[in-house]
Amino acid sequence: MPADPAPHGAHAAQPDHTGTTGPAAGATRAEPRRVAQTALRDVPWEVGVAKPDPAIVVDHVTRTFGGLTAVSVDHLEIQRGGITGLIGPNGAGKTTLFNLLTGFDQPNTGTWSFDGRDLGKLSPHQVARLGVVRTFQLTKALSRLTVLQNMLLGAQGQTGESFLRALVPGTWRAQEKANTERAMDLLRRFKLDAKKDDFAGSLSGGQRKLLEMARALMSEPKVVMLDEPMAGVNPALTQSLLGHVKDLREEGMTVIFVEHDMDVVRDISDWVVVMAAGKVIAEGAPDSISQNKAVVDAYLGAHHDAPLTEEEEDRFLAEDQAAERARREDVISSEQGRKRRTGR
Amino acid sequence: MADLINAFAIAGKAFFGFQAVFFALLAIGLNVHFGYTGLLNFGQIAFAMLGGFGIAISVSLWGLPFWVGVIVGVLAAVVLALLLGLPTLRLRADYLAIVTIATAEGLRLVFRSVSATPVTGGTRGLSAFNRDFIALAPWDTARRYDLLGTTWSGGELWVVTVGWILVALCSLLVWALMRAPWGRVVKAIREDEDAVRSLGKNVYAYKMQALVLGGIFGAFGGMIYAVGTGSAIPDQYQNANTFLAYGALILGGAARVLGPVIGSMLLLFILQFADTGLRSLISNGVIPAELLSATDVAQLRYVLVGIGLMLLLVFRPQGIFGDRREVMLDAR
């Protein structure tokens, strides 16, 4: 069972639902964070390090666009049941890696697997059916479908989605009803239930993010990949989104997310992977990352805060002045050139 | 005044005529393609031509029974849809548009070419294939019947009756599909393919199913047209008909079950009313002959339809049945 359909966790609309899901769910709730964190405690903070219980394993994946190597990852393991943050400067290849992992793009070389199953040649919908579901950086709410229809689309294994059986309502009515109930539970949890009959296109940006996440959960995924879930969302909603992401972990899902806000990353992730120029340059616990030299260099450039010696200072000053002089001469000569041209 | 009532009656006949059935079936197919699935098929007439010639060739050339001809026409449309879809449905929407418009024109040119004359009859086409079909009519097809001030031949009436039953059945099928989860997936594909893929649906298969289904509706339209005119001539199947069907679809309201049906009826009504009305006004001298001659009317009525559609898009972009809220939504 990939995920519990009944809502529970910090943002459940009806907290007493946990009673119906049995003691096992309650137990995983009691000490959720520690499961992944404890498992990762003794893992060294090295690139490509083996995890105790990896859900996704990536090996030698490269993707080039012309001469640009967008992704070149030698080895990466994602711990099951934890929240893994994927960070890196713009153009680091985070989204490309997401596209590769979910079948939206095909790599030049490399293999990757989920639960030991090779995902190499699968198309996006096949990957999704295995339980790896993603969201998009630019939210893809299905505008001219209602919120509820958006949700129902996420449900898997619907008999009514086959052409012939769609014509016989008896084959899908009961399933549709069950799916609608589950969708409404999720919508209540994401506080979108009042909007269920509105077109998704009429929602605000933040609500669309919520809807996209809720829709992904309708498919009862094992792995949720969120591409910048907090981008363009106001701070109040960010808190609620964060709560929802934490809930996913508490339901036993593996979460991978791309994010730029370091406070967010530090707050919720159990493990952080840093990419730059297509490579994984560091990984480790959230606290380890801000002290990591490779990471700081990737974000701010090497030597950005190294103290200068006096000679260096003089040299930089001289270079600056030379550059300034050259620039001024350039301006003057171009002005003279213009005068000459206009004078003629 | 009597002239106008007469024009109204003639236009009323066009409202129910087999040409309205023809456009309704084309537009129902386009509604499945464009209105629901977001596929840009600009060559719907090719499916209609295969339907019409499927019957014509099977019956008058191969001597097969009429119903076998219908099956041949449907199968030809299915094959065309598969051929068009296989290379293009994995690509962006514009590729299907390019391929369909080229196919529709190319196929017509092939059918009217000299080398195809032994099979398709070339520019003269084929005729005398609808006898079996007309013979099925439960009334005397040799007689003429007066209905609501218009005169119909028995055969015409039979074609129209069968045609509207077909339109009703096709609309019913579309309605049944679109209220089911299948319709939801297809509409979602119209909105954003990648989102649907990420939710585990095989987008390619759904697009192909929609293309085939709409193509079959188009083939039915061509069949009604062929039995209605009693002949199948390649130049009847000009691609302008595809765009008239699009006009009908937008007039009625896309992504609505009855939109294409009512749209086609109104389109034919307006065309015929403008035609007869203007002609009678000219012959009465209300419009001076130096301003407008009777030969200009045929062109002018399309100008009027064009202006009408423009006004519609400005003041009622959702068409007759559409939901304004839905149409005005930002596409993203």
Side-chain angles (χ1 to χ4, degrees):
Chain A
M1 174 123 189
D4 203 302
H8 49 77
H11 287 256
Q14 294 151 299
D16 59 335
H17 256 82
T18 41
T20 62
T21 59
T28 53
R29 248 191 94 205
E31 31 190 329
R33 192 178 171 106
R34 266 170 249 163
V35 176
Q37 263 199 341
T38 315
L40 291 168
R41 183 180 298 149
D42 302 327
V43 175
W45 300 344
E46 292 164 6
V47 173
V49 70
K51 308 291 186 311
D53 182 16
I56 289 181
V57 181
V58 179
D59 269 309
H60 305 293
V61 166
T62 60
R63 177 71 170 105
T64 56
F65 298 108
L68 175 81
T69 304
V71 168
S72 167
V73 175
D74 283 339
H75 188 79
L76 179 64
E77 294 183 5
I78 306 288
Q79 171 72 12
R80 188 190 316 280
I83 297 181
T84 303
L86 185 57
I87 64 170
N90 288 325
K94 307 179 296 288
T95 299
T96 311
L97 183 64
F98 260 41
N99 286 343
L100 292 172
L101 292 180
T102 49
F104 278 84
D105 194 3
Q106 294 299 322
N108 299 84
T109 63
T111 57
W112 63 102
S113 61
F114 162 62
D115 276 352
R117 238 199 98 137
D118 189 33
L119 293 184
K121 290 280 171 281
L122 297 187
S123 51
H125 71 270
Q126 289 168 320
V127 175
R129 281 179 195 171
L130 287 177
V132 181
V133 63
R134 71 171 296 186
T135 66
F136 294 86
Q137 190 173 357
L138 299 170
T139 323
K140 291 186 185 297
L142 304 162
S143 300
R144 286 183 290 168
L145 261 57
T146 65
V147 168
L148 184 59
Q149 283 176 326
N150 262 273
M151 292 297 290
L152 289 172
L153 197 72
Q156 297 297 302
Q158 297 188 51
T159 48
E161 289 184 351
S162 106
F163 183 87
L164 291 176
R165 271 175 290 186
L167 298 172
V168 189
T171 59
W172 47 265
R173 275 268 160 76
Q175 197 186 25
E176 184 85 347
K177 196 156 165 274
N179 283 339
T180 308
E181 270 167 29
R182 203 155 59 82
M184 286 311 294
D185 280 344
L186 274 169
L187 284 178
R188 268 191 286 278
R189 181 169 139 195
F190 282 81
K191 299 200 171 59
L192 287 169
D193 49 329
K195 300 248 175 205
K196 74 182 175 78
D197 293 322
D198 289 6
F199 284 120
S202 68
L203 297 181
S204 72
Q207 286 170 329
R208 288 184 203 201
K209 289 263 176 207
L210 286 171
L211 174 62
E212 199 180 21
M213 199 189 285
R215 191 177 64 195
L217 295 188
M218 267 304 278
S219 67
E220 303 190 314
K222 296 182 189 128
V223 176
V224 185
M225 301 178 71
L226 305 168
D227 200 347
E228 299 201 19
M230 321 296 173
V233 173
N234 72 52
L237 204 53
T238 301
Q239 281 313 310
S240 131
L241 267 166
L242 280 180
H244 290 307
V245 175
K246 286 181 189 166
D247 284 351
L248 302 187
R249 172 176 53 194
E250 276 153 48
E251 286 167 27
M253 288 177 220
T254 307
V255 180
I256 310 173
F257 75 107
V258 170
E259 188 51 61
H260 285 298
D261 186 339
M262 278 311 290
D263 288 335
V264 168
V265 173
R266 216 170 291 138
D267 181 13
I268 66 171
S269 42
D270 302 314
W271 193 259
V272 177
V273 175
V274 190
M275 286 184 74
K279 289 188 167 55
V280 175
I281 55 164
E283 55 178 304
D287 301 332
S288 73
I289 292 303
S290 46
Q291 281 114 51
N292 187 307
K293 192 168 174 307
V295 178
V296 175
D297 286 355
Y299 268 95
L300 301 174
H303 319 299
H304 70 284
D305 61 349
L308 296 176
T309 62
E310 222 163 274
E311 294 133 43
E312 273 176 328
E313 225 167 294
D314 287 345
R315 204 182 69 231
F316 285 138
L317 212 62
E319 277 171 14
D320 266 6
Q321 283 168 345
E324 177 68 10
R325 217 174 302 130
R327 200 175 60 80
R328 218 175 289 152
E329 277 163 13
D330 220 33
V331 170
I332 290 167
S333 64
S334 73
E335 260 174 21
Q336 282 170 342
R338 202 180 313 133
K339 268 181 203 151
R340 235 176 290 141
R341 272 195 301 278
T342 51
R344 186 143 42 108
Chain B
M1 195 59 212
D3 284 335
L4 276 186
I5 291 170
N6 184 38
F8 200 79
I10 291 174
K13 190 178 170 185
F15 190 73
F16 293 111
F18 73 87
Q19 298 221 25
V21 177
F22 169 62
F23 281 113
L25 286 168
L26 289 193
I28 292 172
L30 288 178
N31 199 21
V32 172
H33 290 159
F34 169 75
Y36 289 112
T37 321
L39 301 175
L40 277 176
N41 171 13
F42 283 148
Q44 178 74 337
I45 198 67
F47 293 100
M49 190 168 75
L50 289 185
F53 272 92
I55 293 178
I57 293 174
S58 310
V59 175
S60 58
L61 206 69
W62 301 337
L64 295 169
F66 182 83
W67 296 111
V68 178
V70 172
I71 292 166
V72 169
V74 169
L75 287 181
V78 171
V79 170
L80 178 67
L82 293 176
L83 285 178
L84 291 175
L86 277 174
T88 56
L89 289 184
R90 287 188 199 281
L91 306 173
R92 264 196 345 248
D94 3 2
Y95 289 90
L96 181 70
I98 296 165
V99 169
T100 48
I101 200 166
T103 305
E105 199 55 17
L107 214 56
R108 182 179 65 85
L109 292 175
V110 168
F111 270 49
R112 79 193 294 280
S113 67
V114 177
S115 49
T117 305
V119 186
T120 62
T123 50
R124 284 169 165 202
L126 298 168
S127 56
F129 48 80
N130 63 352
R131 218 173 297 125
D132 285 0
F133 175 73
I134 301 291
L136 287 173
W139 50 74
D140 181 7
T141 50
R143 260 193 64 199
R144 297 191 80 77
Y145 297 85
D146 283 330
L147 289 173
L148 302 166
T150 56
T151 316
W152 301 70
S153 82
E156 211 176 2
L157 213 53
W158 175 236
V159 172
V160 167
T161 310
V162 172
W164 286 117
I165 290 172
L166 200 55
V167 168
L169 290 177
C170 291
S171 299
L172 200 66
L173 181 61
V174 170
W175 172 79
L177 281 172
M178 292 309 158
R179 74 180 174 145
W182 188 88
R184 187 166 58 219
V185 177
V186 152
K187 281 181 253 180
I189 290 171
R190 174 190 69 195
E191 298 302 309
D192 196 312
E193 278 182 45
D194 280 345
V196 181
R197 279 199 191 93
S198 76
L199 295 171
K201 320 290 174 196
N202 187 350
V203 168
Y204 183 67
Y206 281 99
K207 281 162 88 174
M208 190 62 98
Q209 287 170 7
L211 188 65
V212 170
L213 180 69
I216 291 174
F217 292 155
F220 283 143
M223 291 176 192
I224 291 293
Y225 196 79
V227 294
T229 55
S231 60
I233 302 165
D235 286 347
Q236 285 171 337
Y237 299 97
Q238 299 274 3
N239 206 12
N241 290 310
T242 303
F243 300 106
L244 275 176
Y246 263 108
L249 176 62
I250 287 160
L251 174 65
R256 287 289 176 278
V257 172
L258 287 180
V261 180
I262 302 298
S264 308
M265 295 170 93
L266 277 180
L267 184 77
L268 267 287
F269 180 87
I270 294 165
L271 278 176
Q272 190 61 54
F273 188 71
D275 189 85
T276 341
L278 283 172
R279 278 178 207 279
S280 63
L281 287 179
I282 291 167
S283 63
N284 287 354
V286 178
I287 297 176
E290 36 306 354
L291 192 71
L292 191 69
S293 73
T295 47
D296 298 331
V297 168
Q299 282 84 42
L300 189 67
R301 59 187 187 151
Y302 284 106
V303 175
L304 291 177
V305 168
I307 293 171
L309 277 175
M310 271 194 258
L311 291 176
L312 182 84
L313 289 182
V314 172
F315 294 107
R316 204 177 159 82
Q318 71 273 35
I320 294 166
F321 287 107
D323 180 344
R324 191 178 181 90
R325 265 189 328 146
E326 187 177 328
V327 175
M328 298 313 267
L329 270 180
D330 189 12
R332 285 293 116 202

